Every structure is written in C-alpha cells, then in structure tokens.
Amino acid sequence: MTAPRPAAIAFGFAVLLSSGTGCRNANLASAMAQTPTYEPEGQTRCGVARSHARPLIIEWPAHDRSELETLVAEGERMVAVRYAGCEMELLRGCTAAGSYRYQGVQPKREDYVFKRADDLYAKIPLGAANLEAELERHGALTLGMTVVGRWQGGHGRPARVDLRGDCERATHVISGLSVGAFRLSSEAGAEIRGEVGWMNAGGGAGSSAARGLVRSDGDLGACGDDRGDGPPNRCRALLRVEVEAIREPAEVAAARARQVCPRDAALVEGGRFRASVGGQVEVADFCLDREEVRVADYAACAAKGPCSEAATSARFKTSAAELEWASAQCNGDRSGKRRHPINCISWNQAAAYCQWAGGRLPTEVEWEWAARGGEQERTYAWGEQEPGPRLVNACGEECARARARLQPELKHGLKDMPPPTWLKLHNKSDGVVGTARVGSFSGGRGRGQVADLAGNVWEWTASAEISYQTGEEQHIGWGGPDTGRRATRGGGFLSTDDADVRTTARRLRDLKDRRPDLGFRCAYDP
C-alpha cells in the first residue's frame, strides 16, 4: 500500500462497506437518517452502546478499507455515506465540501476482550454479525490496536444543500478516521504457533475452532513515534471512522429561525472551504450587513460620542495631485451623500463603529465565504456573468472620462504628447462617477441579498497582513509582529481590473489609510 498523501477526496462509484451479511435483526428503515439508538434485547443489537458515531471498521474486507484509504488520501472533497443500522455504503458519487488532513499523535495502545455479542455490536457494529459466529465458536475474541494518527476532516454537521452529486441516499459524512495497526484473534488463535499458522488452511489444524481466528492489518511493532506528513510505513491501516449526520432542510430551517441577526443583516451559514489566502479554513455561522455602512449611519455614531468625526480629506501614499482629487471624493461632510457608503475612514474608525453597533469587522475569510455564496463558490458575488454597468459600480466609461478631466496634473505634462488613456473595467457607463447609493446595483447582489460585495468601495476586514508562512499553507494574521496593514476586500468605484471585482479580490492597506474608494460593513455573532 502506498503512503497516503494529505489531500481531499475523489468521487464516483459506490462500494458497499459491510461484511456482506448485513446486521442481525437491524431495523434499517428506522435508522436511515440517524445514528442507531438503543433497542430492547431481541429487537436489534445495533444500538447497545453510544459508540456507533465512531465505529471500528477492522472487520470490513481489506479491499473495502483500502478503497476508503485511497479516497481519503487522494481526493478533494469529504466522503458521504449511507449509514443505516449495521451497514455503511460509501457513496463515491456524493461528496461534501472540505478535505482530510493527517495529524500524527503519540502512539496509543488499545486492547479489548469480547466475550458477549453485545460487546461486538457496541464496538464493531459494521462487522459484528460475522464475528458473532466466531465468538460463539471460540468463546472469546481479543483485539489489540495501536493508533498513531488520524485523518481529520471538517467540523460540524453539513446540510444536505451543501452536498454535491448523487446524494439522495446519503445520511452521513465521514468527518475523521483513526490510523494505525490492529490484530483481532480468538483466544485459541493466539496460542497457535508457526507450524500451524492461520494462513495454513489445510495444515492439519483441524476445525476452524482449532485453528482460531486471526484478522490483522499493519504491523503493531512498526507503529513508532513517526511524525511525518503521513502515517508510518506498515502502520497506516484505517481503524475507526467518525461520522456526522447530514442536516435535513427542516432542521436547517429550524436552526435559522433560532439564530436572530440584527435588522438589515443576513445570516451566513458557515462551512469549510479553500480560501484564496489561508488554505483550508473553517467558518462558523455569522451575520453580515446586507449593505455597506452609510454616511448617515456613521454620523449617528459620531454624534453620540463613540466614533470620531469622519474625515473630509484622504490620506494615503500617492502624489499631491492624486491626493487632492481623492479628497474631493470623501463623503463625510456632503449632505447629498448620506445614503452613500462612508469612505475616507481609517481601520480603527471602522472597528470602533462596528463595536458601537454591537458587532465587529468580518475576517477576510468570512467576507470571502459570504461573497462566494458559501459552497456555491461563485466567481463574482452575483454569479458567473461578466461585470457590467448593471451589476457593479466600478470604473467604466464615465470614470475614465472624469479622471482625465478632473486630474490634468496627472497627465505626463509633455505639451506635444496626447493626454493619457485611462483604464476602465468595461466600455459602458454605469451612470456614477464616484460612490453610488448603497444597494443601487440590485443585479449585483450576492446570496442573502447582500449588496455591493463587488465595487462601490473596498471594505476593511479584521484580518492583519500575513505575517508568516509554513509549508504550502499561508496563515492570516496568526502570530508574528503586527505590520500595521489590514486586508481589504471587494473592489471599488475606481477598479479597472476584472480581478478587483471577483470574490477573491484583496488588497493590503495601512490601517491609517483614508481612501475615497474604501469603506466597510459589520459582522455579528448570532
């Protein structure tokens, strides 16, 4: 078996992960959508203990466990299964967002002795029907395991709407798997010497009871403290799976009803995804303002004291002529702009306002998750349609003309040369030279009717500049010195590049910067 590589899951056909005989007396219909629960003696043995959310899989045939190991190590999504009673079917054509990352641990030894059928169904429900006959034959079974690590998937229960592919029969997602080596044997089998080995089917050992039972995978003696990128060689067998039940639409709706967001904020359901910066990240549920904070909103905070007055001039590193033009675009003292986004605001001013409003600035991974539409992974907040004047307030024909007209000092200054041609995102006019009223571009709204996630103004986030990098993963604002720069997202009315209005658009700004194309919105914990 080749060494697994940390990655996510491949998908396609279905393979039955069971012993082939099913579950003795299992009521499959009642167990389809949830982990089996206790039933009185004589009705079923699949619920005598609470461990079924973490069943051992050592009794699965070797080829089935190898198939699962390959999917975990080589794919890009998480494994969905049909888990009912004592059977689990891997649905290779159905996947959930996320991937598995290997984490090594100090080797841990686990030993079990099974003397009753109920013990088998409590620990090894998926293979207990086969092993029950062996238990009756030999009187007892012993299991020795060494755990050296685990494949860890996402946290939390996925909703059915988050699944992809042929998922009608899916009931659970595998969220984790323990790795190591094991040996399962009967007491009789443990006494057999080399001359009567368990592989010697016709070696004169007599009956099955005389030969004993032996099942194994991996080498218990090879499970040393190896902390590499994957489990040690000869100690990489899958031992136990952990499952999370899929949330059905009714349950999701009930949870949403219990989570109250502030007025004019949308609930953004969390999930796991590969962010444009930061690699695989987990996002919890949060609320997000549907619109950027307006001039009138910020003025109310300033009038009551917690917020400082909005600046009427821009501040950032640029030429004097550019700074003069930019200052003329600040909205703070312009009575006709009260429904426009507040701009020319520093990071500290934005953070103070959100705190006053009972919230906080969103992290940039939260912002990106919301802009992508969660698991929908949109290219633009509104979907896949290319940017145009009905979708986003960016730099179109009117912007290019205005900058050429209002900024003559920015021309190269050579009298005999023609004026420069200003770049633009598209060749049409969106009717607005600077900022627009928040929410004006209704066609460009994102999921949950969140407006202006592209264009109008870039938006401050809570995330600091990346301070260090480890391996292939970049970490956002984790450790290291504060560089004084913060991530901004979403593009603004001066954006001329398609990349600036995509859901992955990102710029780092000094936290003291005040720009006419930079504002913010707030997030809230539900």
Side-chain angles (χ1 to χ4, degrees):
M1 190 179 298
T2 59
R5 300 187 306 275
I9 296 183
F11 48 95
F13 73 169
V15 56
L16 184 65
L17 297 181
S18 69
S19 61
T21 60
C23 176
R24 173 181 169 185
N25 298 328
N27 184 352
L28 299 185
S30 65
M32 277 295 293
Q34 58 185 9
T35 302
T37 54
Y38 177 78
E39 297 287 348
E41 183 71 24
Q43 294 185 29
T44 180
R45 293 182 183 270
C46 290
V48 297
R50 60 188 177 187
S51 60
H52 288 122
R54 302 176 65 246
L56 290 169
I57 60 172
I58 60 172
E59 180 57 8
W60 286 348
H63 67 275
D64 289 338
R65 287 186 288 108
S66 296
E67 174 71 15
L68 180 59
E69 182 177 341
T70 299
L71 294 177
V72 169
E74 294 185 351
E76 296 182 353
R77 303 275 290 178
M78 291 180 61
V79 174
V81 297
R82 183 190 71 87
Y83 183 19
C86 295
E87 292 184 348
M88 184 178 289
E89 180 183 1
L90 176 61
L91 304 176
R92 196 168 177 238
C94 174
T95 61
S99 62
Y100 299 96
R101 181 188 299 275
Y102 179 75
Q103 296 176 325
V105 300
Q106 191 73 23
K108 294 178 175 59
R109 175 78 181 190
E110 297 182 25
D111 295 288
Y112 302 94
V113 176
F114 302 100
K115 295 185 177 181
R116 300 185 310 138
D118 285 354
D119 297 334
L120 291 175
Y121 283 93
K123 296 292 184 183
I124 321 174
L126 305 184
N130 278 354
L131 292 176
E132 188 173 358
E134 297 290 350
L135 180 63
E136 292 176 355
R137 182 179 296 118
H138 301 293
L141 301 175
T142 60
L143 171 64
M145 297 192 311
T146 297
V147 178
V148 296
R150 64 196 308 270
W151 292 102
Q152 176 62 55
H155 298 282
R157 295 173 53 202
R160 185 165 295 278
V161 70
D162 298 328
L163 303 180
R164 291 187 174 182
D166 183 8
C167 300
E168 183 177 352
R169 294 185 300 130
T171 61
H172 295 74
V173 167
I174 293 178
S175 59
L177 306 97
S178 299
V179 183
F182 76 90
R183 187 177 190 274
L184 175 69
S185 65
S186 64
E187 289 186 341
E191 298 298 325
I192 296 175
R193 299 295 180 260
E195 68 271 17
V196 196
W198 69 278
M199 293 293 290
N200 244 347
S207 68
S208 172
R211 286 197 308 273
L213 166 78
V214 176
R215 303 262 204 278
S216 65
D217 194 355
D219 182 353
L220 292 171
C223 297
D225 188 9
D226 187 337
R227 298 298 185 89
D229 293 335
N233 290 330
R234 297 184 297 151
C235 189
R236 58 181 71 250
L238 300 182
L239 306 176
R240 175 185 285 115
V241 297
E242 300 170 17
V243 296
E244 294 283 355
I246 294 167
R247 291 188 297 161
E248 300 298 335
E251 183 181 354
V252 172
R256 284 181 174 176
R258 293 193 299 269
Q259 291 181 317
V260 180
C261 289
R263 184 179 178 181
D264 299 326
L267 175 65
V268 181
E269 285 207 310
R272 183 178 175 85
F273 77 115
R274 182 169 290 279
S276 58
V277 179
Q280 286 289 343
V281 293
E282 193 85 20
V283 179
D285 290 0
F286 67 101
C287 301
L288 187 67
D289 282 340
R290 286 194 174 91
E291 296 179 342
E292 293 162 333
V293 174
R294 301 173 301 176
V295 171
D297 300 326
Y298 189 86
C301 178
K304 296 181 180 179
C307 297
S308 58
E309 293 288 341
T312 59
S313 62
R315 177 193 182 279
F316 59 100
K317 292 180 179 180
T318 188
S319 67
E322 174 76 6
L323 196 61
E324 181 181 356
W325 183 89
S327 295
Q329 311 305 311
C330 294
N331 293 334
D333 62 343
R334 301 173 70 183
S335 59
K337 300 283 188 175
R338 291 181 62 79
R339 295 184 62 183
H340 286 235
I342 187 66
N343 59 1
C344 300
I345 291 290
S346 71
W347 184 88
N348 285 319
Q349 287 177 304
Y353 174 88
C354 287
Q355 184 176 10
W356 172 76
R360 55 181 173 78
L361 287 172
T363 66
E364 66 171 319
V365 292
E366 287 177 329
W367 194 101
E368 183 176 330
W369 176 252
R372 287 187 179 207
E375 76 289 341
Q376 295 180 0
E377 297 184 355
R378 301 177 179 185
T379 301
Y380 308 98
W382 56 82
E384 302 307 312
Q385 184 178 350
E386 291 188 359
R390 298 180 58 190
L391 299 173
V392 57
N393 178 24
C395 193
E397 182 64 31
E398 81 298 328
C399 166
R401 289 198 310 266
R403 284 178 65 83
R405 183 177 65 251
L406 296 175
Q407 294 179 273
E409 297 87 348
L410 298 184
K411 299 176 185 178
H412 45 70
L414 298 178
K415 295 180 180 180
D416 296 332
M417 296 294 290
T421 300
W422 294 101
L423 297 175
K424 47 194 172 185
L425 181 63
H426 50 73
N427 293 321
K428 298 181 180 180
S429 173
D430 58 31
V432 183
V433 173
T435 60
R437 285 186 177 185
V438 296
S440 295
F441 291 74
S442 58
R445 287 180 179 266
R447 192 173 182 181
Q449 293 299 300
V450 181
D452 298 320
L453 287 168
N456 218 12
V457 289
W458 289 84
E459 298 177 12
W460 286 114
T461 74
S463 298
E465 180 178 12
I466 296 171
S467 52
Y468 66 89
Q469 182 171 335
T470 58
E472 297 181 355
E473 298 289 339
Q474 292 180 321
H475 300 273
I476 302 172
W478 296 347
D482 188 339
T483 64
R485 298 207 292 175
R486 298 292 183 268
T488 66
R489 288 286 192 152
F493 68 86
L494 293 175
S495 293
T496 60
D497 192 330
D498 175 82
D500 280 353
V501 294
R502 293 179 174 237
T503 56
T504 54
R506 179 179 191 265
R507 291 286 185 275
L508 291 169
R509 303 294 186 193
D510 188 282
L511 55 79
K512 295 181 180 179
D513 279 356
R514 301 193 306 268
R515 301 177 58 95
D517 60 344
L518 177 56
F520 68 100
R521 74 180 74 221
C522 302
Y524 311 85
D525 297 318

